[in-house]
Amino acid sequence: MTKHKVIMAFDTFIGIDYSGASHTDAPLPGLRVYQASLDHPAIEILPPASSRRYWSRRQVAEWLAEIIRSKTALIGIDHGLCAPLEYFTQNQLALDWTIFLNTFTHIWNTDTAAISVEQVRKRLRSEESSPRFHAKWRRLCEVRSKAKSIFHFDVPGSVAKSTHAGLPWIKYLLTECSDHLHVWPFHGWEIPKSKSVLTEAYPSLYRKSLAPPEHFTGDQRDAWAIAEWLRRSYLNKSLYKLFQPQMPEDELRLASLEGWILGL
């Protein structure tokens, strides 16, 4: 990879442990949000005071849009942001992330009120023209991290539902905040100074160097670990190198399409 000077000036760090359960307006106990600043460790952010006890996916997306427009945030979210190369080739899809996002979210319209991932799965089983996907197809970053495929549903530790429920809201953020948001690495490996950055995160990578409070639930622990790891990595300047991983050119090209997990 060609070395660039990475200029970053983040003022807030957000970790999201996502959930693909139920529908987009349902309050979800498994959807947790933590936020840190340069001089303050990560704390849990709760839904608006007039809201229910837990976030819905729509509420999180709308809150993130406000943050992105008003701050320079580094956001880590624990679901996939793209599909494996096989998905592109088997479905004759152009090797372009924006085209993928538009076509994928048209099929998986899980940002629509009362539409769940399971409902879309059921619909696709009855449609002969539905896109091909397989649980054994994995992105390079999933192979390296030993994570499950975004198409590996119905197993412990799966991010399949979260990915299929979350990608429509990534598109929403790009629509609402196009001038303020850089989705890494799809918009480039080099980080612009004036934009917020959203990246795929993998909490188990970060917890090794952290000590989450013992009273946290698993979902709280993961969201906290993302936000706190992002904050500390920025403060100790290790983040600069992590945004430009040292890989062979062919792997970098593949990761530019499939996505990459920050810190891997």
Side-chain angles (χ1 to χ4, degrees):
M1 174 186 288
T2 302
K3 293 185 177 180
H4 300 281
K5 182 179 180 181
V6 182
I7 302 173
M8 297 180 290
F10 300 116
D11 52 29
T12 191
F13 307 88
I14 297 170
I16 300 174
D17 186 63
Y18 214 69
S19 173
S22 192
H23 58 83
T24 197
D25 293 304
L28 302 171
L31 179 53
R32 299 286 181 150
V33 179
Y34 275 72
Q35 184 176 15
S37 63
L38 292 172
D39 55 1
H40 200 290
I43 59 171
E44 185 164 17
I45 303 300
L46 300 177
S50 60
S51 179
R52 299 177 181 179
R53 180 179 178 184
Y54 300 113
W55 290 95
S56 70
R57 289 191 289 272
R58 186 186 305 278
Q59 285 178 316
V60 168
E62 291 173 348
W63 177 79
L64 280 176
E66 291 181 6
I67 292 290
I68 290 167
R69 287 191 291 257
S70 62
K71 296 180 179 292
T72 308
L74 177 55
I75 305 159
I77 191 165
D78 72 334
H79 68 63
L81 298 179
C82 195
L85 177 63
E86 289 89 343
Y87 181 85
F88 289 84
T89 57
Q90 292 296 320
N91 293 294
Q92 299 181 332
L93 189 65
L95 303 183
D96 180 280
W97 182 68
T98 300
I99 293 175
F100 159 79
L101 190 63
N102 289 336
T103 58
F104 191 87
T105 56
H106 176 73
I107 297 166
W108 294 90
N109 59 330
T110 51
D111 56 336
T112 304
I115 297 294
S116 70
V117 173
E118 289 305 314
Q119 286 175 308
V120 179
R121 290 179 71 192
K122 183 178 180 180
R123 186 194 76 212
L124 293 179
R125 292 189 193 106
S126 64
E127 294 180 358
E128 294 183 2
S129 61
S130 63
R132 297 182 61 188
F133 57 89
H134 199 286
K136 291 185 178 180
W137 294 351
R138 289 199 295 168
R139 297 174 295 153
L140 179 62
C141 62
E142 291 163 343
V143 174
R144 291 285 172 82
S145 63
K146 299 181 180 180
K148 294 178 175 63
S149 168
I150 67 161
F151 296 123
H152 199 170
F153 289 94
D154 307 322
V155 292
S158 171
V159 297
K161 279 190 176 182
S162 292
T163 299
H164 288 71
L167 279 173
W169 290 112
I170 301 300
K171 182 182 176 183
Y172 164 85
L173 290 175
L174 286 170
T175 301
E176 293 294 313
C177 313
S178 60
D179 294 333
H180 304 276
L181 181 61
H182 180 98
V183 183
W184 181 86
F186 308 104
H187 293 156
W189 296 93
E190 187 172 356
I191 305 303
K193 182 179 181 180
S194 59
K195 292 187 177 184
S196 291
V197 174
L198 187 146
T199 178
E200 182 174 348
Y202 193 38
S204 63
L205 283 177
Y206 316 142
R207 291 196 306 266
K208 299 174 184 177
S209 60
L210 301 171
E214 294 183 0
H215 66 277
F216 277 6
T217 66
D219 301 308
Q220 289 175 311
R221 176 194 62 195
D222 286 350
W224 176 88
I226 296 170
E228 189 60 22
W229 182 84
L230 291 175
R231 171 182 176 268
R232 296 185 192 187
S233 297
Y234 179 78
L235 291 175
N236 66 26
K237 301 190 185 313
S238 63
L239 197 59
Y240 291 78
K241 292 183 179 180
L242 296 175
F243 271 122
Q244 294 188 326
Q246 299 303 302
M247 297 189 290
E249 287 296 328
D250 59 334
E251 292 185 353
L252 282 171
R253 285 194 296 271
L254 181 57
S256 296
L257 173 70
E258 295 184 334
W260 197 249
I261 296 169
L262 187 64
L264 186 60

